[in-house]
Amino acid sequence: MAKETIAGLAQRLGISKASVSYALNGQPGVSELTRRRVLDLADELGWYPSSSARALSRSRAGAVGMVLSADPLLIGTEPYYMGLLTGIETALAEGDTALMLRMVGKDPEQERATYERWAGERKVDGVILFDHRHDDPRPALLERLRLPFVLHGAPATEGAAPRSGTTTDHALDAATIVDHLHRAGHRRIAHISGPRSFLHEEARIEGVQDRAGRHGMSVTRYEADYSLDSGRDAALALLRAGEGITALVFGNDLMSMGGLLAMRAIGLRCPDDVALVSWDDSLHCELASPSVTALARNPGLQGRVAAELLLRLLDTGAVQTARMPAGDLIARSSTGALP
Amino acid sequence: MAKETIAGLAQRLGISKASVSYALNGQPGVSELTRRRVLDLADELGWYPSSSARALSRSRAGAVGMVLSADPLLIGTEPYYMGLLTGIETALAEGDTALMLRMVGKDPEQERATYERWAGERKVDGVILFDHRHDDPRPALLERLRLPFVLHGAPATEGAAPRSGTTTDHALDAATIVDHLHRAGHRRIAHISGPRSFLHEEARIEGVQDRAGRHGMSVTRYEADYSLDSGRDAALALLRAGEGITALVFGNDLMSMGGLLAMRAIGLRCPDDVALVSWDDSLHCELASPSVTALARNPGLQGRVAAELLLRLLDTGAVQTARMPAGDLIARSSTGALP
DNA sequence: CTGAAAGCGCTTACAG
DNA sequence: CTGAAAGCGCTTACAG
């Protein structure tokens, strides 16, 4: 049973290997009767075609890759990635495609080496890219390697060469957050972003700036690195500066938690003294006390869509872009909403 | 370059395909000079052997599988899994083995179908199994499918057929937790475990019972399902029953968070009225207020060891068992330690 | 609709 | 140490 092959099936049924193959793959070239007999026998024997033989003859691996390149500590605690991963895997499974997962450190060289190798070994048919940066070397690398890819979560860029990927309207999300704070009466806010080298962070920074400007609010910018500690440090620096900031917007949930710790440390109350918004929802935001107002972005859905785009790209070569829905602001105590 | 093959290399170098293959794989049968020339050329061309061709001729996939079968919601928020995953992937990468990740719901049928298929397609060379249960059908299934596996985190069972896997001394961990509570003066405690059908939960339950008995403490048991809500419900039921329980031990961090919510809801203070310990550490425990005393079990290390055992099993057929180190109790505010 | 055959790109006995 | 050849288990033109 574990050693059954297409030749074995053909022999048992008294037909040729080709017929078995056609039957299995839903190709024309076999009578319905034969097809049924093949399928039934395969089922009965619990037989599946060898993935490596199939991959070799089709020159298609039947798998796509995903490199998580971040501080391992961050990956483990960052719920956004897990949500994304779940969505991606689910969609891939439905498309009979396996997910190859690689976790590397922050060293970009390792990510590069992984793609180089995957392409060379023809181990994956395509990859999903995150955290698109300015002058990101990866798209050009993947093109050189002829490894199809989708770009996840970048801001829509007009005029650029069309690429497969999901785009997020970060300006819209920024407006949602800023409006919420404006409505609550805040006029001096701070925006603690992740690294500006990420295109999505730049889009968010501009979005916040623009919208706040329209409301006549002032924004102090601070660049951090998504870690809890960097969020805490940012909050300490901003709140001690005495600029009269009354609300902090953090680029992710971990930094928001750091912000809460900072406030507690210097004796400021949230939201009475300073309000707080997280640009990513998670259980952390829900459980914190006070609970933290957050923009829910539905990472599961995003992952699913990204994976579907990649599958379509591989199947049909269709290059398309999917706009992600706007984030939902979940109002909680940290901006004065009822608990 | 992307289309280079072993035949191409051989032709360029004026030698046979066999020599190239031997050179690449560190096999005897080529002169050192030839080997160097092959390796250098491969390097220069950025060439790697096709994984599917290699898999087909070696009948080895070069990948192992891992099925995460849990509530998707739970997976995304349960830090233990991410830590484990990181450890596993890191060790596999060092062993030049890919990780195939599949996420399925709680339906055991889906997990079964995945193994069936992976085995049939020879897509993976082995798998890592978690959450061993009573009468778990998976080991027998995998044996029938001839898919090697390691069992992660089960209690050591004497006299049973030897299997590859990691074992945890849950009784020792239980003692650590119970002793901590006893020292703090608690005499009536409750243990909110995960499902008892898991062998590790049963071992924990017995361990807590035994150790508490030795100290003359009483233990009320409650079975929950690892979710936040189930932890909350458990705490509500136990604390309202008025049995004079002064400390709660939860089987994971999410349930612990549920416990805190429950206490807040009914106006009990932690640790003054009721103390709390989590049988898994995480950022949630660290950030909660009060911060939650927890048993840190080092999932990253555990994952690494499990993966190494599997690689060894695949390489040499060596069946071995590795005892995981005892958990570290991180004392925090929820049991009266200083913040 | 069916069969014989070449090919996918490696590995590995087997002669030399 | 090297070369010619078979084999891994599929897919896919090509004749019939």
Side-chain angles (χ1 to χ4, degrees), chain A residues 51 82 89 100 102 121, chain B residues 51 82 89 100 102 121:
Chain A
S51 61
M82 274 309 279
E89 211 290 315
M100 201 118 274
R102 215 31 209 97
E121 296 183 336
Chain B
S51 60
M82 273 310 277
E89 209 290 315
M100 202 118 273
R102 209 46 200 92
E121 297 184 334

Side-chain angles (χ1 to χ4, degrees), chain A residues 234-243 245 248 259 262-263 266 268 274:
Chain A
L236 286 176
L238 289 163
L239 297 176
R240 278 181 177 151
E243 296 179 16
I245 290 166
L248 303 175
M263 291 179 61
I266 56 183
L268 289 173
V274 178

